[in-house]
Amino acid sequence: MNTVSDYLKNGVIDIAPLLSLVLGKSNTELYAQNDYALDNNQQQQLSNFIQQREQGVPFAYLSGKKGFYHLDFKVTKDTLIPRPETELLIDIILDLLNKNQKYQVLDLGTGSGVIAVTLADINPRWKVSATDFSQAALNVAKINATTNINFTQGSWFDAVTDQTFDLIVSNPPYIEEDDVYLKDLTYEPRTALVSGEDGLDDIRIIINNAPKYLNKGGYLLLEHGYNQQQQITKLLNKAFHNIKTFKDYNGNDRAVLAQIK
Ligand code: GLN
């Protein structure tokens, strides 16, 4: 009772990806060689992983990686696991800016680095900077970088004083501090998820300070919660115009783009 096929029949959560992970086999290899018998070590490692998954540890923290856009990213417990919704920000930016021009782009609160690294990888002419409050997260982002990115540590704009940018992008924490959804996210860093009573504490800091750090005609692009678009548009109205709102691929309000007045 220890072949791949035996385990697959068990129907445990994520059993096929967990078997792939333990055996170092692709999904196709796994099914093609489903009479393979796991040795003792492999059985032990698999049962350890199954136990962790059953306790709610996200799969990405067991595999140590997560795909985002066209790249694979290292993730650790110091970083949020990249969400597919965040790929929307990349699409918006690629539609907005010209690949062949030289832009100064800033990713605030980069975490594992997905936004900055993806943009820099696709657009070698852009000068991309990325910040995070967490040095541990920045260390992961640096490993993920495929090209030169200027990483600096600090809270929001504290990390980039005296610099200005053509585009500032951020996927900041935006969950309300008593949101029931947080009970499903206990393994990810709370500081990357939660932002005060209405989830907007960090977004307010970013919107209020961004004008000082934007070049003439520069843009601010923010990811936000499904119910925050109206409030954010209101906050932007004072210093920004040409405000555009976007839904994610699930149909939820998810991003807002604005140009400095
Ligand atoms: N998108 C995250 C989630 O829904 C929330 C925090 C964030 O990405 N900034 O779990």
Side-chain angles (χ1 to χ4, degrees):
M1 280 299 284
N2 67 343
T3 64
V4 165
S5 168
D6 295 330
Y7 281 106
L8 286 171
K9 277 183 212 143
N10 261 333
V12 174
I13 181 169
D14 277 346
I15 186 65
L18 288 173
L19 278 161
S20 288
L21 185 60
V22 168
L23 303 180
K25 292 178 194 266
S26 70
N27 200 41
T28 317
E29 287 167 341
L30 194 70
Y31 283 91
Q33 303 159 16
N34 71 353
D35 56 350
Y36 173 83
L38 281 73
D39 67 28
N40 278 345
N41 267 343
Q42 291 167 333
Q43 288 181 55
Q44 222 164 44
Q45 201 187 358
L46 182 65
S47 74
N48 173 291
F49 280 171
I50 290 171
Q51 210 178 357
Q52 292 193 64
R53 277 304 282 131
E54 285 175 347
Q55 285 165 1
V57 177
F59 182 82
Y61 285 153
L62 300 180
S63 67
K65 61 185 184 184
K66 178 81 183 175
F68 179 87
Y69 222 79
H70 65 305
L71 296 171
D72 251 344
F73 287 82
K74 175 185 166 79
V75 292
T76 72
K77 290 186 176 171
D78 294 310
T79 68
L80 189 78
I81 298 165
R83 308 288 200 264
E85 303 88 276
T86 304
E87 294 177 339
L88 171 68
L89 302 183
I90 306 294
D91 287 335
I92 294 168
I93 294 168
L94 296 181
D95 278 349
L96 181 73
L97 301 183
N98 182 335
K99 190 175 161 62
N100 298 315
Q101 231 163 291
K102 286 189 179 169
Y103 296 105
Q104 315 269 343
V105 173
L106 170 64
D107 174 18
L108 282 176
T110 194
S112 62
V114 282
I115 299 174
V117 171
T118 303
L119 291 176
D121 192 73
I122 297 176
N123 305 286
R125 294 177 73 97
W126 298 5
K127 190 172 171 292
V128 178
S129 302
T131 73
D132 208 283
F133 182 66
S134 156
Q135 186 59 50
L138 277 180
N139 292 342
V140 175
K142 282 179 192 170
I143 292 169
N144 283 326
T146 57
T147 167
N148 195 25
I149 293 175
N150 183 24
F151 289 105
T152 47
Q153 189 271 333
S155 174
W156 306 122
F157 292 101
D158 295 350
V160 291
T161 41
D162 300 334
Q163 295 176 61
T164 57
F165 302 90
D166 301 302
L167 169 79
I168 297 170
V169 55
S170 184
N171 171 23
Y174 54 70
I175 299 178
E176 297 166 22
E177 64 192 7
D178 57 2
D179 192 324
V180 289
Y181 168 60
L182 286 169
K183 71 173 183 348
D184 299 331
L185 304 176
T186 49
Y187 290 91
E188 292 180 273
R190 197 179 154 86
T191 51
L193 294 165
V194 179
S195 190
E197 211 178 319
D198 63 356
L200 290 170
D201 282 4
D202 291 292
I203 286 182
R204 269 188 287 269
I205 294 174
I206 295 171
I207 291 177
N208 290 337
N209 290 283
K212 280 182 266 168
Y213 297 89
L214 279 170
N215 291 332
K216 191 165 181 285
Y219 294 94
L220 175 64
L221 175 62
L222 296 171
E223 181 173 323
H224 60 72
Y226 70 95
N227 57 354
Q228 297 173 330
Q229 204 154 70
Q230 257 190 338
Q231 280 163 284
I232 292 176
T233 307
K234 229 192 229 166
L235 292 168
L236 286 165
N237 268 328
K238 205 170 115 198
F240 293 85
H241 66 165
N242 296 334
I243 297 170
K244 282 196 191 135
T245 58
F246 299 86
K247 287 187 192 297
D248 65 21
Y249 307 111
N250 292 317
N252 294 317
D253 290 340
R254 186 61 63 198
V256 55
L257 172 71
Q259 188 171 31
I260 189 88
K261 277 183 185 165

